[in-house]
Amino acid sequence: MADLSLTRELVTTADTKIVLLVMDGLGGLPREPGGLTELEFAKTPNLDKLARESMIGLSIPISNGVAPGSGPGHLALFGYDPVKALIGRGVLESVGIGLELTPDDVAARGNFCTVDDKLLITDRRAGRIPTEKCIELVNLLKPIKLPGVEIIVEAVQDYRFALIFRGKSLSDRLTETDPQKTGLAPLPVKALDPEASLTADLANAWIANAREVLKDKRPANMVTLRGWAKEPGLPKFADLYKLRSAAIAVYPMYKGLASLAGMTLVQGLHNLDEEVEALKTHWANYDFFFFHFKYADSRGEDGNFEAKAAEIEKVDAILPRVLELKPDVLIVTGDHSTPAVWKAHSWHPVPTLLYAPGLTRRNDVSGFGETECLRGALGQFQATDLMPMALAYARRMNKFGA
Amino acid sequence: MADLSLTRELVTTADTKIVLLVMDGLGGLPREPGGLTELEFAKTPNLDKLARESMIGLSIPISNGVAPGSGPGHLALFGYDPVKALIGRGVLESVGIGLELTPDDVAARGNFCTVDDKLLITDRRAGRIPTEKCIELVNLLKPIKLPGVEIIVEAVQDYRFALIFRGKSLSDRLTETDPQKTGLAPLPVKALDPEASLTADLANAWIANAREVLKDKRPANMVTLRGWAKEPGLPKFADLYKLRSAAIAVYPMYKGLASLAGMTLVQGLHNLDEEVEALKTHWANYDFFFFHFKYADSRGEDGNFEAKAAEIEKVDAILPRVLELKPDVLIVTGDHSTPAVWKAHSWHPVPTLLYAPGLTRRNDVSGFGETECLRGALGQFQATDLMPMALAYARRMNKFGA
């Protein structure tokens, strides 16, 4: 695995551009033995042509057999050790909506839910209330005050919100309150360490106040809290890689992950077309672009093989517009596999393409897909090796040793 | 990556011979997309035939994206962790000309250079003076004495010499004096740690004396010093691998690296033919032969694709003479890639061939080259795995555990 301190030592600057195009959940599985995966089934003439001019291979996000969440999957792509750099969902949700965290903060992801009069949960997502309703309810929660701590609460999307406690001696060693099924009551927050008991008390007090505010509302008359986490303090792309980096993403979580890596977030993007336009608009101002596309994963989680292939085709269609910008290095990969037949993130290695004109070896491959990647020049490699490779192919790494 | 302590624990002796044939900078890149590399372009009937009877694959010298210098590249081939076992140029130059270092020594690489009357460098290599001139000038520097320290200075080649200070409490935490470009004055030696200030004073005093000796000479009227280093204390091949080992190399640096591994240096070799003869002559007396061929790297650094291919063809031509000796294991590899289109060491994995009659699996490959190596039985592997593999295929490794 790449050694981050070695990369940091060797990295230098150059007038080159790197694009990391992440199709979330790209890797797939065939529907029948010997069949094609989603990527292989999709009509991807642009990716296939590019694969023949690039080096392809398979990225192992964490290790064989380990299916990563979005956090570890992206951290590995960004070059961080995904096992050491654990980031809780609370931090992801918070930074994803543009909240800046301090080392004094503990963040949680909140869900609005529905409880009956015995306080048993009847809907863990409160009927998936729309974002406008979420904002309205969050505004009612904002006045809640507790001694010795600043409280920040902001709507995220649908039934989700972010909660931050800011104060001295707070800990994220807390249990979650979502019982993960209906018919059960929300759990109390418990301290996992003695030092976390103050924070647990604050959390339980906040929940009691929130219930009081919400008790007559329908369908969202209660909250659950999970993903307690502190800001992880990752080294930032500017220091670590000497890169001016920008994140082009629609979804809050991926913007959040990028912000933890120190990338500038391009705001206000709603779809793939706007993402490509943003890449063009900001091309001159950054060296590195993290370009995230969500829907391959979403349709994989839905179990919809053909819809996932169709999403991959949409990315294929915008590829010429990316190549027009003449990136020195273009990597196309995923943060993990989300096979439609599995309907969830999986542990399968992820098809990866590295385009770097003039510096790549020949693949004898016909196109971009899981089976062709087995024969590609990149072989199977750790996802954490991608950033050092991107930097090397972008002429941004010095020689190691005399 | 191979665990050296595990190898040390498992290694045993056997009446078998291992040859590690290193073509420096072997790996390459195509000149045009989809084209052949230098090795693929070269006519190598003997290597191609051997590849079909061997296992081939690609060696990763350090990690993906990291281009190694000759030191780390060779240390990895010898099985040492190339990131931990850093060796300065001063040590390499010194041991390369047969100087034996002690733990009390600090060594530097010296260059003769030309300065104008304002002491600004006009030629960092003093017109690349011939070795005879270098010897003559070094003889003038030998009488320089300084208190409390023994001084050893020896010519290396062309404009290069080695300087060793031998004494108590010396440190290699010193800055270099070569400003790396002309028009600037040589820099003073500065201590990077407080404990290095004595050595820095000695170095500056020696330089002042050397300048006094050289001031009326032309073109070499000044010196620069760099690559300050102490002997790294690597475990030696005899202890580590139970191997009687010999190094067959022409260039000082590679002899130096071999001597740090405890190999016996075969002296007085000038070309490939003499190297093969030396292999024959010493065949009975050693178990392991490090056989180094420099010019693939040299022509790669020149950017001369066809000349690099021609050098590879020269090695191909001597291969039957190596095989006549019936080695139990023959490895053909490089310490790194030096693609002619890149004109420098690169990070690309290195084609590797492991020949061990009777113990290798079938490759479906047509010959020896980067693309064929992708399909070879060795796969892509860390260079540090080669020594344990060599030992195992040479029947020199016990089973691990009951």
Side-chain angles (χ1 to χ4, degrees):
Chain A
M1 189 188 289
D3 175 342
L4 208 53
S5 64
L6 184 60
T7 304
R8 190 200 283 262
E9 176 189 328
L10 300 178
V11 77
T12 183
T13 54
D15 184 19
T16 53
K17 304 281 188 193
I18 301 168
V19 177
L20 175 66
L21 197 172
V22 177
M23 276 192 261
D24 207 294
L26 175 61
L29 281 172
R31 284 180 287 189
E32 63 282 326
L36 302 175
T37 66
E38 297 90 324
L39 174 59
E40 291 168 343
F41 175 84
K43 299 274 176 291
T44 53
N46 296 307
L47 282 165
D48 291 340
K49 176 169 183 289
L50 198 66
R52 295 191 292 270
E53 299 165 7
S54 304
M55 306 204 304
I56 65 175
L58 290 161
S59 162
I60 299 171
I62 313 295
S63 56
N64 278 315
V66 175
S70 301
H74 277 84
L75 291 182
L77 291 177
F78 297 160
Y80 304 107
D81 183 330
V83 176
K84 289 193 187 145
L86 275 180
I87 293 169
R89 197 82 177 204
V91 166
L92 288 185
E93 296 279 313
S94 302
V95 295
I97 53 169
L99 297 175
E100 291 197 14
L101 295 182
T102 76
D104 285 338
D105 296 355
V106 169
R109 166 177 163 166
N111 278 11
F112 287 106
C113 64
T114 312
V115 293
D116 63 18
D117 30 359
K118 291 178 192 141
L119 257 172
L120 304 179
I121 295 177
T122 57
D123 187 332
R124 290 174 54 236
R125 297 181 185 88
R128 293 182 184 268
I129 53 167
T131 306
E132 307 83 69
K133 186 71 187 169
C134 182
I135 293 169
E136 188 186 315
L137 294 171
V138 161
N139 282 336
L140 298 177
L141 300 178
K142 284 187 178 179
I144 298 172
K145 305 281 178 215
L146 292 171
V149 69
E150 183 184 348
I151 301 170
I152 299 152
V153 54
E154 291 292 347
V156 175
Q157 199 163 354
D158 306 336
Y159 54 91
R160 306 200 315 269
F161 63 91
L163 173 68
I164 298 167
F165 293 149
R166 181 168 294 166
K168 295 296 173 197
S169 308
L170 299 181
S171 167
D172 58 1
R173 300 279 299 141
L174 302 172
T175 62
E176 306 192 333
T177 79
D178 185 344
Q180 295 286 341
K181 57 173 91 168
T182 54
L184 299 174
L187 304 166
V189 177
K190 289 186 187 159
L192 293 166
D193 284 339
E195 302 81 57
S197 61
L198 164 71
T199 322
D201 293 346
L202 286 167
N204 287 317
W206 188 85
I207 292 168
N209 278 279
R211 167 64 181 159
E212 197 56 30
V213 169
L214 298 170
K215 67 175 186 235
D216 297 326
K217 305 288 174 191
R218 288 290 177 282
N221 62 355
M222 186 49 179
V223 295
T224 57
L225 298 178
R226 47 192 184 132
W228 295 103
K230 305 199 77 164
E231 205 271 344
L234 296 174
K236 307 302 183 224
F237 264 41
D239 300 326
L240 183 58
Y241 299 135
K242 299 194 168 113
L243 289 172
R244 298 171 301 161
S245 55
I248 294 175
V250 173
Y251 268 54
M253 184 189 302
Y254 310 97
K255 292 198 275 186
L257 285 161
S259 95
L260 295 175
M263 296 184 209
T264 301
L265 308 184
V266 178
Q267 299 292 359
L269 303 176
H270 303 89
N271 56 51
L272 187 56
D273 187 66
E274 289 180 6
E275 288 186 271
V276 181
E277 285 307 308
L279 185 67
K280 284 190 190 179
T281 305
H282 295 279
W283 189 250
N285 303 323
Y286 298 93
D287 310 308
F288 177 92
F289 298 87
F290 161 52
F291 187 114
H292 182 265
F293 178 74
K294 173 68 179 167
Y295 300 101
D297 177 60
S298 309
R299 298 297 82 79
E301 295 214 325
D302 295 342
N304 193 331
F305 186 98
E306 298 196 6
K308 181 177 168 189
E311 294 298 335
I312 293 169
E313 289 175 0
K314 288 180 194 166
V315 176
D316 187 75
I318 59 98
L319 203 63
R321 292 162 67 192
V322 175
L323 290 171
E324 263 170 27
L325 296 166
K326 300 198 181 303
D328 297 280
V329 173
L330 167 62
I331 291 170
V332 181
T333 188
D335 54 337
H336 53 75
S337 294
T338 307
V341 299
W342 182 247
K343 295 187 184 178
H345 295 195
S346 84
W347 56 92
H348 299 84
V350 185
T352 302
L353 177 159
L354 190 155
Y355 170 77
L359 292 179
T360 54
R361 287 179 179 161
R362 183 163 49 103
N363 290 301
D364 279 330
V365 301
S366 60
F368 190 43
E370 283 80 349
T371 310
E372 290 300 287
C373 282
L374 289 174
R375 309 198 295 145
L378 291 180
Q380 300 205 22
F381 58 91
Q382 290 295 130
T384 46
D385 284 1
L386 267 177
M387 277 305 302
M389 282 198 275
L391 293 163
Y393 282 94
R395 301 155 199 261
R396 287 171 171 271
M397 289 271 273
N398 289 320
K399 186 170 72 171
F400 170 58
Chain B
M1 190 186 289
D3 176 342
L4 211 51
S5 65
L6 184 60
T7 304
R8 189 201 285 261
E9 178 189 328
L10 301 180
V11 77
T12 184
T13 54
D15 185 20
T16 53
K17 306 281 188 192
I18 301 168
V19 177
L20 175 66
L21 197 172
V22 177
M23 277 193 260
D24 207 295
L26 176 61
L29 281 173
R31 285 180 285 190
E32 67 282 338
L36 302 175
T37 65
E38 297 90 324
L39 173 59
E40 291 169 341
F41 175 85
K43 300 274 178 290
T44 54
N46 295 307
L47 282 165
D48 291 339
K49 177 168 183 290
L50 197 66
R52 294 191 293 269
E53 299 165 9
S54 304
M55 304 203 303
I56 65 175
L58 290 161
S59 162
I60 299 171
I62 312 293
S63 58
N64 276 316
V66 174
S70 301
H74 277 83
L75 291 182
L77 291 177
F78 298 161
Y80 305 107
D81 182 330
V83 176
K84 289 193 186 145
L86 276 179
I87 294 170
R89 197 84 179 202
V91 165
L92 287 183
E93 296 279 316
S94 302
V95 294
I97 53 170
L99 298 174
E100 292 197 16
L101 295 181
T102 76
D104 284 340
D105 296 355
V106 169
R109 167 178 163 166
N111 277 10
F112 286 106
C113 65
T114 312
V115 293
D116 63 19
D117 33 1
K118 290 177 190 141
L119 255 170
L120 305 180
I121 295 177
T122 58
D123 187 331
R124 290 175 54 236
R125 298 180 184 87
R128 295 182 182 265
I129 51 167
T131 305
E132 308 83 69
K133 185 73 188 169
C134 183
I135 292 169
E136 186 187 316
L137 294 171
V138 161
N139 283 336
L140 299 176
L141 299 179
K142 284 186 178 179
I144 297 171
K145 305 282 178 216
L146 292 171
V149 69
E150 182 185 349
I151 299 170
I152 299 153
V153 53
E154 291 292 347
V156 175
Q157 200 164 353
D158 305 335
Y159 55 90
R160 306 200 316 269
F161 63 90
L163 173 68
I164 297 167
F165 294 148
R166 181 167 293 167
K168 295 297 171 196
S169 307
L170 299 182
S171 167
D172 59 0
R173 300 280 298 143
L174 302 171
T175 62
E176 307 193 332
T177 80
D178 185 344
Q180 297 286 340
K181 55 173 92 169
T182 53
L184 298 174
L187 304 166
V189 177
K190 289 187 187 160
L192 293 167
D193 284 340
E195 303 80 57
S197 62
L198 164 72
T199 322
D201 292 346
L202 286 166
N204 287 318
W206 188 86
I207 292 168
N209 277 280
R211 167 64 181 162
E212 196 57 31
V213 169
L214 298 170
K215 66 174 187 235
D216 297 326
K217 305 289 174 190
R218 287 291 176 280
N221 62 354
M222 186 50 176
V223 295
T224 58
L225 299 177
R226 50 193 183 130
W228 295 103
K230 304 199 79 166
E231 205 271 343
L234 297 174
K236 307 301 183 222
F237 264 42
D239 300 324
L240 184 59
Y241 299 134
K242 301 195 166 103
L243 289 171
R244 299 171 301 160
S245 56
I248 295 175
V250 173
Y251 267 55
M253 184 188 301
Y254 309 98
K255 292 199 274 186
L257 285 162
S259 94
L260 295 175
M263 296 183 209
T264 301
L265 308 183
V266 178
Q267 298 292 1
L269 303 176
H270 303 89
N271 56 51
L272 187 56
D273 188 66
E274 289 179 5
E275 288 186 270
V276 182
E277 286 306 309
L279 185 67
K280 286 191 191 182
T281 305
H282 295 279
W283 190 250
N285 302 325
Y286 297 94
D287 309 307
F288 177 92
F289 298 87
F290 162 52
F291 188 113
H292 182 264
F293 178 75
K294 172 69 180 168
Y295 300 100
D297 177 61
S298 309
R299 297 298 82 78
E301 294 216 324
D302 295 344
N304 193 330
F305 186 98
E306 298 196 5
K308 180 177 167 189
E311 295 298 335
I312 293 170
E313 289 174 0
K314 289 180 193 166
V315 175
D316 186 76
I318 60 98
L319 203 63
R321 293 162 67 191
V322 175
L323 290 171
E324 264 171 28
L325 296 167
K326 300 199 181 302
D328 297 278
V329 173
L330 168 62
I331 291 170
V332 181
T333 188
D335 53 337
H336 53 76
S337 294
T338 308
V341 299
W342 182 247
K343 295 187 184 177
H345 295 195
S346 85
W347 56 91
H348 298 85
V350 185
T352 301
L353 177 159
L354 190 154
Y355 169 77
L359 291 179
T360 55
R361 289 182 178 158
R362 183 162 51 100
N363 290 298
D364 278 328
V365 301
S366 60
F368 190 44
E370 283 80 349
T371 309
E372 290 300 290
C373 282
L374 289 174
R375 308 197 295 147
L378 291 181
Q380 301 205 24
F381 59 90
Q382 290 293 131
T384 47
D385 286 357
L386 268 177
M387 277 305 301
M389 284 199 277
L391 293 163
Y393 282 94
R395 301 154 202 262
R396 288 171 172 270
M397 289 273 272
N398 290 321
K399 183 171 72 174
F400 171 58

